[in-house]
Amino acid sequence: MKQGERLLHASSFGAAATAYAAHRPDYAQAAVRWALDEPAPGLRVLDLGAGTGKLTATLVGVGADVTAVEPDPAMLTELRRALPDVRALPGSAEAIPLPDASVDAVLAGNAMHWFDMAVAGPEIARVLVPGGILAGLWNVMDDRVDWVAGLARVSGSAAIGPRDTPASWRVEWRDQFRYLEVGSGLSHMRDLGLRTCG
């Protein structure tokens, strides 16, 4: 993805930042604890592509020391309004404004699919400590449940997008995780298999 396209994508949600903050679902603490492998209080976590702070708030709730990084100024404003005590910085996955080996974990909530992993992979590896955690979390519709599958059928693609169900992620991200393990400098991260929680 070219730099101009990346900047356009990074700022594409700002016009709806207030609605996003009001209506997007929160992240379950159980999912965050699972992703962080039962975090100890004070674990240094980067919420990358933090948006309005939905994942950030859950990370704070489990006792993490959170730094939020978000490229869209309107989304960052909403995050700072909702969570004024959290360190919230402008930046992106491709240009993380943190020093080398400064975080124990990098989490991305409904954001990793926007990253240019050829650039973001080495950046994430740079800010993570050796043995650190990289986790992508998504709130998706569980189309294995009958009524949800029925809703998806009657709603059509206008309401249920290709990234809104687990089946589409299993295929798309299997290859991304292989890339992360082999090609991005994350050699200290061995177990990058795609797992699902719940």
Side-chain angles (χ1 to χ4, degrees):
M1 182 182 303
K2 294 180 182 173
Q3 178 67 15
E5 290 176 83
R6 197 167 39 249
L7 291 173
L8 181 63
H9 286 159
S11 62
S12 64
F13 293 98
T18 302
Y20 189 100
H23 302 293
R24 290 290 291 193
D26 295 329
Y27 291 86
Q29 282 194 5
V32 169
R33 283 192 181 99
W34 170 85
L36 294 175
D37 199 21
E38 293 301 324
L43 185 74
R44 299 168 303 160
V45 180
L46 168 60
D47 181 0
L48 190 54
T52 62
K54 294 291 187 170
L55 178 58
T56 308
T58 305
L59 288 164
V60 168
V62 300
D65 175 13
V66 184
T67 299
V69 170
E70 168 56 37
D72 187 286
M75 300 290 268
L76 191 58
T77 297
E78 284 294 322
L79 188 153
R80 288 175 171 156
R81 183 192 57 72
L83 301 163
D85 295 331
V86 170
R87 181 179 180 207
L89 305 172
S92 69
E94 297 79 17
I96 301 170
L98 295 176
D100 295 357
S102 58
V103 295
D104 303 303
V106 175
L107 269 64
N110 282 67
M112 197 176 280
H113 55 283
W114 293 109
F115 300 171
D116 177 352
M117 291 310 294
V119 180
E123 263 297 89
I124 292 166
R126 180 185 66 76
V127 301
L128 269 174
V129 298
I133 295 168
L134 169 61
L137 300 174
W138 286 266
N139 284 318
V140 295
M141 299 183 71
D142 190 349
D143 55 357
R144 297 169 298 181
V145 176
D146 288 341
W147 75 266
V148 175
L151 176 63
R153 275 192 307 278
V154 299
S155 298
S157 62
I160 311 297
R163 289 193 166 111
D164 291 332
T165 60
S168 61
W169 284 108
R170 286 186 199 100
V171 172
E172 184 172 340
W173 279 93
R174 183 175 47 234
D175 292 334
Q176 284 292 339
F177 280 109
R178 282 193 196 114
Y179 166 77
L180 285 173
E181 186 172 17
V182 174
S184 69
L186 294 172
S187 59
H188 59 272
M189 298 178 64
R190 296 285 179 223
D191 183 17
L192 289 174
L194 182 58
R195 338 182 271 170
T196 58
C197 178

